[in-house]
Amino acid sequence: MPSAEHDEVVALLRATAAALGEPPDIPASRANLDATGAMFAVPDDVTVTPDELAGIPCERHVPAGGADGAGTPVMLYLHGGSYTAGSLASHRALV
């Protein structure tokens, strides 16, 4: 069963899509998704640090009290978007 937060995000995305009317081009879609992602905040107790993995920009998100070193469990999050939409900014709070 989806969470209340999930339902709120789905409702927001549907409302945003309905307000846009015709589908925008790819650069506009990327900008819209980044703007939507900016509406949600990363919790204050999470440290976000820019990083690079195999030459690809990424971010390291470490919650308060979380270890950040060898042997620490890691989650690798790869957002969808078919290589046309989504970015670090659009999915930062979701991670």
Side-chain angles (χ1 to χ4, degrees):
M1 174 177 212
S3 67
E5 291 84 2
H6 171 270
D7 293 341
E8 289 175 20
V9 169
V10 169
L12 176 64
L13 292 174
R14 287 184 177 150
T16 301
L20 290 174
E22 286 295 312
D25 59 17
I26 290 175
S29 292
R30 289 178 177 157
N32 288 337
L33 192 54
D34 282 351
T36 301
M39 296 167 64
F40 302 94
V42 174
D44 291 336
D45 63 345
V46 174
T47 301
V48 179
T49 307
D51 209 338
E52 190 174 287
L53 183 63
I56 298 172
C58 63
E59 292 177 338
R60 183 180 302 260
H61 295 226
V62 180
D68 190 18
T72 301
V74 172
M75 176 185 78
L76 177 63
Y77 178 80
L78 303 171
H79 68 78
S82 302
Y83 301 103
T84 62
S87 70
L88 294 172
S90 65
H91 286 72
R92 183 172 290 122
L94 180 62
V95 172

